[in-house]
Amino acid sequence: MDKPTLAVIIPCFNEELCIKHTAEILLKLLDELSSKEKINKNSYLYLVDDGSKDNTWNIIEGLHNNDKRVKGLKFIRNFGNQKALIAGLEGARYIGCDCAVSIDADLQQDEKAIEKFIDEYINGADIVCGIRNDRKTDSFFKKITAVAFYKTMNILGAKIPPNHSDYRLVSKKALDIMELYPEKYLFLRGFFNELGLKTAYVKFDVKPRTAGESKFNFMSLMTLALNGITSYSVVPLRFVAVLGFFMAFFGFLVGLETAAEKIFWHNSPNGWATAIILLCIFGGIQLFCLGLIGEYVGQVFQEVKARPRYIKDKELK
Ligand code: UDP
Ligand code: MG
């Protein structure tokens, strides 16, 4: 097999503090890998500026002028990390590559694992998922929410590997398949896992952020998690139906009991408390189910509008 051309995709949102350092380290890594004859000299970095408000794009332009192996794409506004990754993968497929690795701009994911990714790729894997060794660098809150998310996803039937963030290698074959999926809210972790392509796993260490702050807040993580669930599982919809059935059955029994009390024991004014409790329970359950259904209606709404996933502003090839 010829040495593969590797594209390293880096989503950047307001990353002026780390992007230069990150690009230098990754370019050095490309040199190292090509001198070890693992990758082709045409391998490149592809930085996707997700509508940064700071100096990120100017820095990317500067890097591109110094070294044409740094390529870039700028979104017209912030579209979110998943869209930046998708644009990176689509762009790399268009520019040309045999495999693409996505990695965060803050280099929290140990870049040395890329060599192991390539080894797995050469051994025939089409997808190589980076699995983090631990969550030492995460806050307590992020730790528990992440564990809850992966557990929920697994229970709901969307089998995504736990502790796999979007640090992975995908082959050209996987990128070609991605083109067949027009859905706007493609959840990459779920998508690459369900393709059935040969997948390998590589463990890596998580480091603290090189500079700057996390670009995710509670709301953006919630959105990502809900999108992951609603785009990969309809189990919650079924759960609503089953819950509705049992609640109706329960209501029927309570109704029978109330009727019996009225007819045989004539003490119907009692039960004020019961009425209130039931009112609350049913009110709550109905609202919950409505909200859940709303999530799916929202998904349908987003998809049916068929808006573009992202809008490009500038490109450096
Ligand atoms: N990111 C992005 N768009 C966003 C938020 C984040 O492209 O709206 C990028 C960010 O620049 C970084 C990666 O996604 O390269 C991961 O973000 P971050 O390191 O802030 O997340 P954390 O490691 O805290 O989960
Ligand atoms: Mg990070």
Side-chain angles (χ1 to χ4, degrees):
M1 188 163 77
D2 276 348
K3 283 171 281 173
T5 303
L6 170 70
V8 181
I9 291 149
I10 311 151
C12 325
F13 179 51
N14 294 339
E15 297 285 9
E16 63 181 4
L17 294 178
C18 34
I19 197 66
K20 192 154 183 271
H21 174 243
T22 299
E24 280 162 5
I25 292 201
L26 290 175
L27 284 171
K28 222 182 274 165
L29 184 81
L30 290 187
D31 288 337
E32 227 176 277
L33 290 176
S34 72
S35 67
K36 284 190 187 168
E37 310 254 307
K38 293 206 170 178
I39 58 170
N40 197 307
K41 282 213 162 38
N42 300 330
S43 299
Y44 57 93
L45 308 184
Y46 194 49
L47 288 88
V48 184
D49 179 351
D50 185 10
S52 299
K53 292 259 182 288
D54 65 3
N55 229 353
T56 302
W57 181 249
N58 292 339
I59 300 175
I60 295 177
E61 278 181 331
L63 289 162
H64 172 74
N65 292 337
N66 276 341
D67 190 333
K68 291 288 176 278
R69 287 181 302 165
V70 179
K71 302 180 197 299
L73 168 68
K74 180 175 166 54
F75 281 176
I76 204 157
R77 65 160 167 88
N78 180 245
F79 282 92
N81 147 290
Q82 288 289 295
K83 305 282 170 56
L85 284 171
I86 294 172
L89 294 167
E90 289 183 334
R93 176 176 181 267
Y94 188 72
I95 296 172
C97 68
D98 297 304
C99 53
V101 169
S102 45
I103 188 166
D104 287 352
D106 54 9
L107 280 193
Q108 280 197 274
Q109 297 132 331
D110 185 9
E111 71 284 352
K112 302 216 170 58
I114 293 180
E115 183 169 354
K116 294 183 202 153
F117 286 13
I118 299 282
D119 291 341
E120 294 289 351
Y121 168 76
I122 291 170
N123 281 338
D126 276 300
I127 294 178
V128 187
C129 295
I131 305 288
R132 49 200 294 170
N133 277 328
D134 55 55
R135 289 190 168 269
K136 264 189 242 151
T137 53
D138 279 359
S139 66
F140 175 70
F141 179 71
K142 191 145 179 204
K143 240 177 260 177
I144 48 171
T145 46
V147 170
F149 172 69
Y150 287 111
K151 277 254 161 16
T152 315
M153 286 299 276
N154 272 304
I155 291 169
L156 296 180
K159 302 265 179 271
I160 55 173
N163 293 329
H164 162 55
S165 41
D166 282 304
Y167 185 28
R168 74 172 86 71
L169 175 145
V170 296
S171 67
K172 168 92 176 22
K173 187 169 169 188
L175 291 180
D176 289 344
I177 298 176
M178 200 177 120
E179 281 305 296
L180 305 175
Y181 281 64
E183 81 183 71
K184 299 289 166 314
Y185 286 74
L186 198 61
F187 183 63
L188 293 173
R189 278 168 237 194
F191 167 73
F192 284 120
N193 203 49
E194 72 155 25
L195 292 182
L197 293 172
K198 190 167 179 248
T199 307
Y201 301 92
V202 168
K203 293 209 159 179
F204 70 90
D205 284 323
V206 184
K207 299 179 280 187
R209 225 174 198 285
T210 43
E213 284 170 357
S214 173
K215 304 298 179 293
F216 276 101
N217 54 30
F218 176 69
M219 282 313 282
S220 50
L221 282 174
M222 237 354 232
T223 308
L224 183 66
L226 267 175
N227 179 37
I229 291 171
T230 51
S231 60
Y232 271 89
S233 173
V234 286
V235 174
L237 284 178
R238 256 167 243 153
F239 171 75
V240 170
V242 173
L243 188 71
F245 173 78
F246 281 112
M247 286 328 273
F249 186 65
F250 176 67
F252 175 71
L253 292 183
V254 173
L256 275 188
E257 197 265 346
T258 317
E261 275 205 22
K262 174 117 185 135
I263 296 164
F264 301 115
W265 295 287
H266 307 288
N267 55 355
S268 58
N270 286 340
W272 172 247
T274 322
I276 294 296
I277 291 168
L278 288 181
L279 201 74
C280 293
I281 295 177
F282 285 117
I285 289 171
Q286 280 172 6
L287 272 184
F288 171 73
C289 296
L290 264 180
L292 208 61
I293 294 167
E295 279 298 324
Y296 284 91
V297 175
Q299 274 278 343
V300 174
F301 175 67
Q302 301 284 9
E303 293 297 337
V304 103
K305 279 183 300 190
R307 288 183 180 164
R309 274 185 187 139
Y310 50 83
I311 303 164
K312 293 178 189 176
D313 189 10
K314 289 175 192 154
E315 236 174 323
L316 302 169
K317 285 191 206 161

